[in-house]
Amino acid sequence: MYVSGDNASVDVVREIVERVGQVDIAIVNVGAANVGRFGDADVTLNARTAVRAAELLGEAVLVAVHGEGWAHFTETLDHLGRAFEYAGRRSQLVIPPRGHSVRV
């Protein structure tokens, strides 16, 4: 299992995959959080970089968390779902309903 934390770097995901090999479940912080402290740099994955991370993670199930509910999120979970759909990877993505658990 890989837990991204507040990481917006696809290069870090690549390093993790190279170091540990296959990942079955990836818990990824999404929503393109931008707190304004680092210019235009996000501190969590945006939809585009989450798809790139999914490509690197291969068959891993991605569980999208920490992606809405505060003003610093600049993308919605709906947008994330559409990006995965357009990339042909929607079945790889799990977006838990707020306040509910999921089984993967």
Side-chain angles (χ1 to χ4, degrees):
M1 181 184 301
Y2 165 61
V3 179
S4 74
D6 284 349
N7 167 49
S9 172
V10 175
D11 289 337
V12 169
V13 176
R14 181 180 293 107
E15 290 174 21
I16 296 294
V17 170
E18 289 172 355
R19 189 176 331 137
V20 303
Q22 180 179 341
V23 172
D24 296 320
I25 300 171
I27 311 297
V28 293
N29 290 10
V30 295
N34 189 307
V35 295
R37 185 170 183 190
F38 308 107
D40 194 34
D42 297 332
V43 294
T44 62
L45 295 169
N46 61 41
R48 180 181 40 81
T49 55
V51 167
R52 288 177 45 212
E55 292 167 351
L56 290 170
L57 290 162
E59 298 300 315
V61 174
L62 271 74
V63 181
V65 299
H66 191 61
E68 64 183 8
W70 292 287
H72 64 276
F73 292 114
T74 62
E75 292 183 352
T76 66
L77 293 174
D78 287 339
H79 178 71
L80 178 70
R82 284 191 307 276
F84 270 74
E85 190 171 320
Y86 296 150
R89 293 189 166 273
R90 185 60 181 93
S91 63
Q92 186 177 9
L93 179 67
V94 174
I95 302 175
R98 183 183 268 178
H100 296 273
S101 61
V102 294
R103 188 176 296 269
V104 292

